[in-house]
Amino acid sequence: MASEDIAQLTEALAKTHVGDGELSYKGQGLKLDNAQSVAEIAHAIEEFQGLRALRLEGNTIGVEAAESIAKALENKSELQRCSWSDMFTGRLRSEIPAALKSLGSALIKSGARLTELDLSDNAFGPDGVKGIETLLKSPACYTLRELKLNNCGMGIGGGKILAGALIECHKQSSAAGTPLRLKVFIAGRNRLENEGATALAKAFQLMRSLEEVHMPQNGINHQGVTALAGAMQHNPDLRVLNLNDNTFTKRGALPMAQALRHLRNVQVINFGDCLVRSEGAIAIAAALREGLPILKELNLSFGELSEAAALVVARCVKDKPQLEKLDLNGNCFGEEGCEAVREALESMNMADMLGSLSDDEGEPDEDDDEDDEEIEEQSDDEEEQEENGLDESQGSSDGDGSPVKPSDRVSPAFSPDLQAFLTSPTAEKLLDLGAKRTLLIEQQVDYSDSSKITDAFLKISSVYEEEPEVKKAVLDTTDALLKKALCGSCFQSYSFLSSLLVTLGLLKGEGKVQKACVMPGHLLALTHSVEQEYFPRDHADVLQTFVSKYGEALSNCSSGRDALQAALDRRTAS
């Protein structure tokens, strides 16, 4: 060993922390290539009685040095915590699996029962995951509570290997009477993408014990988000969910919001830079209405939210007494919109909880909207092609949050008379349905699909006339339709509102959305509905927010729009 290396090691050992069962060489920058270079550390490990935590992060360890450390660990049965992040800087990627296998084999041989394993910042890729696969399946990890693999470059392959190991560990530990109950999982910046995330979701759903999940920057889009949402719903003790910088869009945000409805212990939600967008934000607002009673932090920054969508979210945090931070920065409010959001929170005495809005993107131009729609249509076509070749288990959710395959959802068979009306609506055809019209609507409209409720409402209300018999038939039928649509969960009814707003042109939708040619009857029937007891006041508040902000979209029916605005003002003021 060179004299300068000996001097470096001697100085490092002088800084070694020993206490509380912990032996730490954290951040000492040691270059440990062989048995000689690590001899004193190995000796210190062997001599340490009651070793419970070993910290080696911030050094660089070669294969031979790892074997020497492993030899020293073979009798350390009390070891519980291994903090081994940033431990292979400058090493060949091919060296890392061998080093990890040596260390893992020693832990298994020792009879140790780990509670924490941190291998973050090691960039070992899928092969590195193979290096810890046997360890993760072994009794040494039956007691694991915290697994930290941040910034390891696992990729899809590594994510699948990791998921398989966790599933096998859960199976074997359950058979032994001590099922794996992992509480903290950290795996940001790993390029897991949809397939890796979906594989891990299966493991999470089995464990049902997670309290913190951190998976930012993994290239996950709505398919992977949907899988994770289903898994989170089965982890009732979840407190922290960080999926920052993945891509939700509406199709990921809706199932995630559906899952959040069922979680009572969540304190921190980080969906920043996730392209949640306005429809997704409204769905999350519905989850805020129904659940999340002890939420402390909500991050929906850089998500392309409109001012109106942000106002809906802001009003839904009113009853969150423990809320400390609401981050809405980097969205599309514009100067007036930013002020409106601030004023809304000030009116609820919650202004100090709102983070900075200094990076607001401003309101999008109409040209930007058209370009986005073209891009989304192309993206939708590509994703549909991908999904046709994927596992059909990635479907949407039904009313209680259970996965539903597209093939499982069967539309009711319409009666011939009702089908004739919905195909080509006229007042005469509606009257011909007779007294049974409301019953037919209730029985045969698919209430699990908000777009079908919207379509039925618009077709019925399109034949509105002031002639008493027609007017009564239209309003009685729309009352029956909306009364049932709005009597379910807040999530379902907010989903309907979102669909209606998009179809009326008051909210920018995603993908291929057919906007309605707005007719006076649409607005007059809606005006009647918002004045009824079955129409919740908070839903009227959502409508008012969008009609007030984007009412110009209804300018071709200005009298109907003004009547609706007046009715909404009365309802929300009462």
Side-chain angles (χ1 to χ4, degrees), residues 372-412:
D372 287 346
E373 286 172 7
E374 290 179 7
I375 292 169
E376 284 168 9
E377 286 183 9
Q378 294 172 3
S379 176
D380 285 343
D381 291 339
E382 291 169 1
E383 289 183 354
E384 283 174 13
Q385 292 173 5
E386 289 176 7
E387 288 171 357
N388 287 336
L390 289 176
D391 184 346
E392 285 190 352
S393 63
Q394 295 178 28
S396 55
S397 298
D398 66 9
D400 63 3
S402 304
V404 176
K405 299 178 184 178
S407 57
D408 290 342
R409 178 172 287 157
V410 179
S411 297

Side-chain angles (χ1 to χ4, degrees), residues 42-111:
H43 180 71
I45 293 171
E46 288 174 347
E47 294 298 312
F48 198 114
Q49 299 300 309
L51 180 65
R52 293 194 297 275
L54 177 61
R55 307 196 66 163
L56 297 174
E57 66 264 50
N59 301 290
T60 177
I61 299 174
V63 175
E64 189 178 333
E67 290 171 349
S68 294
I69 293 172
K71 185 69 175 175
L73 288 172
E74 287 181 354
N75 296 313
K76 298 302 171 184
S77 61
E78 296 179 48
L79 185 64
Q80 297 175 351
R81 303 192 309 278
C82 298
S83 299
W84 295 349
S85 64
D86 189 19
M87 204 169 69
F88 298 109
T89 300
R91 301 293 169 183
L92 294 175
R93 191 161 170 173
S94 59
E95 293 182 78
I96 301 174
L100 290 172
K101 284 180 180 178
S102 295
L103 293 166
S105 295
L107 293 173
I108 295 170
K109 184 175 181 179
S110 73

Side-chain angles (χ1 to χ4, degrees), residues 534-549:
Y534 66 74
F535 204 100
R537 178 177 171 179
D538 65 286
H539 291 53
D541 187 60
V542 173
L543 271 179
Q544 183 198 42
T545 300
F546 280 88
V547 173
S548 298
K549 177 65 180 176

Side-chain angles (χ1 to χ4, degrees), residues 405-422:
K405 299 178 184 178
S407 57
D408 290 342
R409 178 172 287 157
V410 179
S411 297
F414 286 113
S415 73
D417 291 342
L418 181 58
Q419 183 66 59
F421 169 75
L422 293 175

Side-chain angles (χ1 to χ4, degrees), residues 317-333:
V317 301
K318 180 179 181 180
D319 298 321
K320 305 299 171 191
Q322 297 187 39
L323 191 71
E324 297 173 358
K325 183 178 180 181
L326 175 62
D327 191 346
L328 296 172
N329 197 18
N331 284 298
C332 306
F333 305 159

